Amino acid sequence: MTNLSTPNSSSTDASSNLRGARRRDSGSPAKPPATMRAAVIAAPGKIELRELPLPEPGPRQVRVRLEGCGVCGSNVPVWEGRPWFEYPLEPGAPGHEGWGVVDAVGSEVQSLAVGDRVGALSYHAFAEYDTVDEDAAVVLPDELAELPFPAEPLACAMNVLERSDVQPGQVVTVIGVGFLGSLLIQMMTRRGARVIAVSRRRSALEWAERMGAIAALPLTSPDDVQQQVAALSGGDGCPRVIEATGFQEPLDLAAALVAVRGKLVIAGYHQDGLRQVNLQQWNWRGIDVINAHERDPAIYTAGMRRAAAAVVAGQLDPAPLLTHTFPLSELGAALDAAVQRPGHFMKAVVRP
């Protein structure tokens, strides 16, 4: 395991020419093995590493030799054993932040070729290989050849940014400074917005300042946060407030911070059941409430392309936020880190 106890200072500097960019492995591709390793969450807190036959792609699929997969915050409840999950999970699940190199293509695939390095929207990526639909994989530009690229969360960040419609000069509050919140702070700041960050974790507030936030406020008392945001926003609230936690209390706070006719953008993943909202408050202020989650794979792949272009153009730099790296055999430790968030933890990546 590589544990970066302090934020990584690396940055990306690349040209913006993406047209036709494609990286392929040099030389003849090696013959693939007959089997692969895949992690199985057999029960809450229990990982089994299994040897399985190498999957064959369908006619419109490709097989990806995975270079890595990010650990998502949404993986934590299944690891902890929340009651709405059934065990064991399928091999490789719920890994959905994978990237790697195409090593086999189906008979009807036209847009991808063996050797293409891709970001992929797949769902069994805690493994050495995964198959993915042709239209759910995006070729990564040459400029990103050596960089990790957890495609799905980067696409999510791009899609939330687009739905938020943040304008230069606006005061924006982001509640929740995990990987997604940090990416949004970084991109909104680079668009010219003045971003206020709110989080419970001290290390997350330090990340927020590093990403460009004009203020980083601890979420100790909602009333205190409201007073501080009012002072920073001229007393009228914020035209954009992003909730990126997935919990009730921060959602309540987010709604209280939105200015009249502002936008409340729900980016947090509220997977554990019902929420209550103050509809009188929402109605009186005439706010727009935007659920910034996407379920259309085409929208996700479009977000992946925009994310790759943004990294190349220097508008987005996820590299410093990928703070911890684990081998596939230590997936349990990676999931534990996502729960405990030690030190300056922001995101874990699992490498086969």
Side-chain angles (χ1 to χ4, degrees):
M1 179 184 74
T2 299
N3 183 346
L4 305 182
S5 59
T6 58
N8 188 329
S9 62
S10 64
S11 63
T12 300
D13 182 14
S15 69
S16 60
N17 182 13
L18 295 177
R19 188 177 301 278
R22 169 171 289 194
R23 175 182 182 265
R24 298 187 179 175
D25 288 347
S26 59
S28 300
K31 183 179 179 180
T35 62
M36 70 168 190
R37 296 183 308 156
V40 175
I41 300 182
K46 181 180 179 182
I47 296 285
E48 296 177 358
L49 204 60
R50 297 183 184 176
E51 193 83 13
L52 301 169
L54 202 65
E56 292 297 328
R60 296 183 178 179
Q61 290 186 318
V62 299
R63 185 174 65 213
V64 178
R65 174 171 50 82
L66 292 160
E67 295 180 359
C69 180
V71 175
C72 179
S74 69
N75 300 156
V76 167
V78 69
W79 179 237
E80 293 179 328
R82 303 290 174 85
W84 57 89
F85 295 107
E86 295 182 0
Y87 302 86
L89 273 64
E90 294 180 346
H96 59 273
E97 299 185 0
W99 74 94
V101 177
V102 174
D103 87 319
V105 299
S107 59
E108 299 179 18
V109 171
Q110 297 182 354
S111 63
L112 298 170
V114 171
D116 285 343
R117 188 168 186 259
V118 298
L121 185 62
S122 70
Y123 301 97
H124 302 85
F126 289 143
E128 293 179 323
Y129 292 81
D130 198 6
T131 55
V132 59
D133 292 342
E134 174 185 13
D135 58 4
V138 171
V139 177
L140 300 178
D142 291 345
E143 292 90 340
L144 307 184
E146 304 303 323
L147 296 177
F149 196 85
E152 189 272 349
L154 298 181
C156 184
M158 299 303 298
N159 290 334
V160 172
L161 181 68
E162 183 172 303
R163 296 284 296 276
S164 302
D165 187 31
V166 170
Q167 302 298 318
Q170 284 182 331
V171 178
V172 180
T173 295
V174 175
I175 302 177
V177 188
F179 186 65
L180 176 60
S182 297
L183 292 173
L184 292 171
I185 293 168
Q186 183 188 90
M187 290 190 291
M188 290 174 178
T189 297
R190 294 180 181 184
R191 281 194 172 191
R194 302 173 64 237
V195 182
I196 302 166
V198 180
S199 178
R200 296 187 187 280
R201 285 197 301 148
R202 180 177 178 179
S203 63
L205 296 175
E206 293 173 2
W207 274 112
E209 291 176 336
R210 186 174 174 198
M211 294 296 104
I214 62 168
L217 309 179
L219 181 49
T220 53
S221 164
D223 289 341
D224 288 346
V225 172
Q226 288 185 55
Q227 292 176 12
Q228 293 177 77
V229 170
L232 291 164
S233 62
D236 296 325
C238 297
R240 304 288 185 273
V241 178
I242 319 296
E243 181 276 309
T245 69
F247 295 103
Q248 178 73 62
E249 184 183 26
L251 178 62
D252 293 339
L253 175 61
L257 299 178
V258 183
V260 171
R261 298 199 71 188
K263 297 181 186 293
L264 167 60
V265 182
I266 301 172
Y269 184 28
H270 294 262
Q271 63 173 303
D272 61 339
L274 301 178
R275 293 288 181 260
Q276 293 182 329
V277 301
N278 185 343
L279 191 57
Q280 180 188 38
Q281 177 193 64
W282 292 16
N283 184 247
W284 178 255
R285 293 187 182 178
I287 64 176
D288 293 335
V289 180
I290 299 169
N291 180 8
H293 286 267
E294 305 291 352
R295 290 294 174 263
D296 185 342
I299 296 176
Y300 262 109
T301 53
M304 291 180 200
R305 292 188 182 92
R306 291 198 305 274
V311 174
V312 172
Q315 300 164 353
L316 173 64
D317 182 12
L321 299 167
L322 305 176
T323 54
H324 291 61
T325 300
F326 298 81
L328 181 62
S329 60
E330 295 181 17
L331 173 59
L335 289 162
D336 284 340
V339 174
Q340 298 162 6
R341 296 181 291 185
H344 280 83
F345 175 89
M346 185 53 69
K347 191 172 191 65
V349 166
V350 174
R351 298 274 198 170

PDB file of all heavy atoms in Angstrom, residues 124-139:
ATOM      1  N   HIS A 124     -17.746  -4.454 -12.600  1.00  0.00           N
ATOM      2  CA  HIS A 124     -17.056  -5.579 -11.956  1.00  0.00           C
ATOM      3  C   HIS A 124     -15.546  -5.344 -12.046  1.00  0.00           C
ATOM      4  O   HIS A 124     -14.787  -6.247 -12.392  1.00  0.00           O
ATOM      5  CB  HIS A 124     -17.449  -6.899 -12.618  1.00  0.00           C
ATOM      6  CG  HIS A 124     -18.920  -7.175 -12.600  1.00  0.00           C
ATOM      7  ND1 HIS A 124     -19.775  -6.685 -13.567  1.00  0.00           N
ATOM      8  CD2 HIS A 124     -19.696  -7.848 -11.720  1.00  0.00           C
ATOM      9  CE1 HIS A 124     -21.018  -7.051 -13.286  1.00  0.00           C
ATOM     10  NE2 HIS A 124     -20.997  -7.767 -12.172  1.00  0.00           N
ATOM     11  N   ALA A 125     -15.129  -4.132 -11.718  1.00  0.00           N
ATOM     12  CA  ALA A 125     -13.756  -3.699 -11.982  1.00  0.00           C
ATOM     13  C   ALA A 125     -12.800  -3.920 -10.816  1.00  0.00           C
ATOM     14  O   ALA A 125     -11.637  -3.526 -10.915  1.00  0.00           O
ATOM     15  CB  ALA A 125     -13.747  -2.229 -12.394  1.00  0.00           C
ATOM     16  N   PHE A 126     -13.246  -4.555  -9.722  1.00  0.00           N
ATOM     17  CA  PHE A 126     -12.305  -4.995  -8.699  1.00  0.00           C
ATOM     18  C   PHE A 126     -11.774  -6.362  -9.127  1.00  0.00           C
ATOM     19  O   PHE A 126     -12.050  -7.404  -8.519  1.00  0.00           O
ATOM     20  CB  PHE A 126     -12.973  -5.071  -7.324  1.00  0.00           C
ATOM     21  CG  PHE A 126     -13.304  -3.731  -6.730  1.00  0.00           C
ATOM     22  CD1 PHE A 126     -14.474  -3.548  -5.995  1.00  0.00           C
ATOM     23  CD2 PHE A 126     -12.448  -2.641  -6.873  1.00  0.00           C
ATOM     24  CE1 PHE A 126     -14.782  -2.318  -5.429  1.00  0.00           C
ATOM     25  CE2 PHE A 126     -12.750  -1.398  -6.308  1.00  0.00           C
ATOM     26  CZ  PHE A 126     -13.926  -1.242  -5.591  1.00  0.00           C
ATOM     27  N   ALA A 127     -11.049  -6.330 -10.221  1.00  0.00           N
ATOM     28  CA  ALA A 127     -10.577  -7.551 -10.866  1.00  0.00           C
ATOM     29  C   ALA A 127      -9.428  -7.190 -11.796  1.00  0.00           C
ATOM     30  O   ALA A 127      -9.062  -6.023 -11.939  1.00  0.00           O
ATOM     31  CB  ALA A 127     -11.724  -8.210 -11.644  1.00  0.00           C
ATOM     32  N   GLU A 128      -8.863  -8.216 -12.423  1.00  0.00           N
ATOM     33  CA  GLU A 128      -7.792  -7.977 -13.384  1.00  0.00           C
ATOM     34  C   GLU A 128      -8.322  -7.655 -14.771  1.00  0.00           C
ATOM     35  O   GLU A 128      -7.660  -6.971 -15.555  1.00  0.00           O
ATOM     36  CB  GLU A 128      -6.872  -9.200 -13.443  1.00  0.00           C
ATOM     37  CG  GLU A 128      -6.100  -9.411 -12.153  1.00  0.00           C
ATOM     38  CD  GLU A 128      -5.210 -10.632 -12.188  1.00  0.00           C
ATOM     39  OE1 GLU A 128      -5.618 -11.656 -12.786  1.00  0.00           O
ATOM     40  OE2 GLU A 128      -4.104 -10.575 -11.622  1.00  0.00           O
ATOM     41  N   TYR A 129      -9.521  -8.134 -15.082  1.00  0.00           N
ATOM     42  CA  TYR A 129     -10.155  -7.882 -16.376  1.00  0.00           C
ATOM     43  C   TYR A 129     -11.643  -7.640 -16.150  1.00  0.00           C
ATOM     44  O   TYR A 129     -12.238  -8.118 -15.185  1.00  0.00           O
ATOM     45  CB  TYR A 129     -10.008  -9.082 -17.329  1.00  0.00           C
ATOM     46  CG  TYR A 129      -8.608  -9.361 -17.805  1.00  0.00           C
ATOM     47  CD1 TYR A 129      -7.711 -10.060 -17.013  1.00  0.00           C
ATOM     48  CD2 TYR A 129      -8.188  -8.937 -19.069  1.00  0.00           C
ATOM     49  CE1 TYR A 129      -6.418 -10.330 -17.451  1.00  0.00           C
ATOM     50  CE2 TYR A 129      -6.897  -9.208 -19.519  1.00  0.00           C
ATOM     51  CZ  TYR A 129      -6.021  -9.901 -18.705  1.00  0.00           C
ATOM     52  OH  TYR A 129      -4.743 -10.167 -19.150  1.00  0.00           O
ATOM     53  N   ASP A 130     -12.252  -6.909 -17.074  1.00  0.00           N
ATOM     54  CA  ASP A 130     -13.706  -6.743 -17.076  1.00  0.00           C
ATOM     55  C   ASP A 130     -14.151  -6.544 -18.519  1.00  0.00           C
ATOM     56  O   ASP A 130     -13.374  -6.065 -19.359  1.00  0.00           O
ATOM     57  CB  ASP A 130     -14.136  -5.552 -16.218  1.00  0.00           C
ATOM     58  CG  ASP A 130     -15.615  -5.587 -15.843  1.00  0.00           C
ATOM     59  OD1 ASP A 130     -16.290  -6.589 -16.153  1.00  0.00           O
ATOM     60  OD2 ASP A 130     -16.088  -4.607 -15.238  1.00  0.00           O
ATOM     61  N   THR A 131     -15.386  -6.919 -18.818  1.00  0.00           N
ATOM     62  CA  THR A 131     -15.959  -6.645 -20.132  1.00  0.00           C
ATOM     63  C   THR A 131     -16.891  -5.452 -20.023  1.00  0.00           C
ATOM     64  O   THR A 131     -17.523  -5.225 -18.989  1.00  0.00           O
ATOM     65  CB  THR A 131     -16.732  -7.859 -20.671  1.00  0.00           C
ATOM     66  OG1 THR A 131     -17.724  -8.259 -19.721  1.00  0.00           O
ATOM     67  CG2 THR A 131     -15.792  -9.016 -20.948  1.00  0.00           C
ATOM     68  N   VAL A 132     -16.963  -4.698 -21.111  1.00  0.00           N
ATOM     69  CA  VAL A 132     -17.743  -3.466 -21.100  1.00  0.00           C
ATOM     70  C   VAL A 132     -18.333  -3.241 -22.486  1.00  0.00           C
ATOM     71  O   VAL A 132     -17.724  -3.620 -23.494  1.00  0.00           O
ATOM     72  CB  VAL A 132     -16.856  -2.272 -20.671  1.00  0.00           C
ATOM     73  CG1 VAL A 132     -15.684  -2.101 -21.607  1.00  0.00           C
ATOM     74  CG2 VAL A 132     -17.641  -0.988 -20.567  1.00  0.00           C
ATOM     75  N   ASP A 133     -19.517  -2.689 -22.537  1.00  0.00           N
ATOM     76  CA  ASP A 133     -20.124  -2.362 -23.831  1.00  0.00           C
ATOM     77  C   ASP A 133     -19.248  -1.359 -24.583  1.00  0.00           C
ATOM     78  O   ASP A 133     -18.642  -0.468 -23.976  1.00  0.00           O
ATOM     79  CB  ASP A 133     -21.517  -1.775 -23.636  1.00  0.00           C
ATOM     80  CG  ASP A 133     -22.512  -2.792 -23.099  1.00  0.00           C
ATOM     81  OD1 ASP A 133     -22.237  -4.004 -23.186  1.00  0.00           O
ATOM     82  OD2 ASP A 133     -23.565  -2.361 -22.593  1.00  0.00           O
ATOM     83  N   GLU A 134     -19.217  -1.499 -25.880  1.00  0.00           N
ATOM     84  CA  GLU A 134     -18.387  -0.622 -26.713  1.00  0.00           C
ATOM     85  C   GLU A 134     -18.683   0.848 -26.456  1.00  0.00           C
ATOM     86  O   GLU A 134     -17.768   1.668 -26.352  1.00  0.00           O
ATOM     87  CB  GLU A 134     -18.624  -0.951 -28.187  1.00  0.00           C
ATOM     88  CG  GLU A 134     -17.921  -0.021 -29.164  1.00  0.00           C
ATOM     89  CD  GLU A 134     -18.283  -0.309 -30.609  1.00  0.00           C
ATOM     90  OE1 GLU A 134     -19.268  -1.054 -30.850  1.00  0.00           O
ATOM     91  OE2 GLU A 134     -17.586   0.210 -31.500  1.00  0.00           O
ATOM     92  N   ASP A 135     -19.966   1.189 -26.336  1.00  0.00           N
ATOM     93  CA  ASP A 135     -20.325   2.599 -26.179  1.00  0.00           C
ATOM     94  C   ASP A 135     -20.203   3.085 -24.738  1.00  0.00           C
ATOM     95  O   ASP A 135     -20.557   4.228 -24.435  1.00  0.00           O
ATOM     96  CB  ASP A 135     -21.724   2.868 -26.723  1.00  0.00           C
ATOM     97  CG  ASP A 135     -22.802   2.018 -26.064  1.00  0.00           C
ATOM     98  OD1 ASP A 135     -22.476   1.263 -25.112  1.00  0.00           O
ATOM     99  OD2 ASP A 135     -23.973   2.093 -26.491  1.00  0.00           O
ATOM    100  N   ALA A 136     -19.692   2.237 -23.844  1.00  0.00           N
ATOM    101  CA  ALA A 136     -19.471   2.656 -22.456  1.00  0.00           C
ATOM    102  C   ALA A 136     -17.989   2.788 -22.137  1.00  0.00           C
ATOM    103  O   ALA A 136     -17.600   2.861 -20.969  1.00  0.00           O
ATOM    104  CB  ALA A 136     -20.125   1.671 -21.498  1.00  0.00           C
ATOM    105  N   ALA A 137     -17.164   2.808 -23.175  1.00  0.00           N
ATOM    106  CA  ALA A 137     -15.721   2.995 -23.001  1.00  0.00           C
ATOM    107  C   ALA A 137     -15.271   4.169 -23.849  1.00  0.00           C
ATOM    108  O   ALA A 137     -15.759   4.368 -24.968  1.00  0.00           O
ATOM    109  CB  ALA A 137     -14.958   1.733 -23.399  1.00  0.00           C
ATOM    110  N   VAL A 138     -14.352   4.950 -23.319  1.00  0.00           N
ATOM    111  CA  VAL A 138     -13.869   6.162 -23.976  1.00  0.00           C
ATOM    112  C   VAL A 138     -12.356   6.076 -24.111  1.00  0.00           C
ATOM    113  O   VAL A 138     -11.648   5.836 -23.128  1.00  0.00           O
ATOM    114  CB  VAL A 138     -14.253   7.410 -23.159  1.00  0.00           C
ATOM    115  CG1 VAL A 138     -13.577   8.650 -23.711  1.00  0.00           C
ATOM    116  CG2 VAL A 138     -15.769   7.589 -23.143  1.00  0.00           C
ATOM    117  N   VAL A 139     -11.854   6.246 -25.340  1.00  0.00           N
ATOM    118  CA  VAL A 139     -10.409   6.239 -25.565  1.00  0.00           C
ATOM    119  C   VAL A 139      -9.779   7.456 -24.899  1.00  0.00           C
ATOM    120  O   VAL A 139     -10.246   8.586 -25.067  1.00  0.00           O
ATOM    121  CB  VAL A 139     -10.094   6.229 -27.077  1.00  0.00           C
ATOM    122  CG1 VAL A 139      -8.589   6.302 -27.310  1.00  0.00           C
ATOM    123  CG2 VAL A 139     -10.665   4.978 -27.733  1.00  0.00           C
TER     124      VAL A 139
END
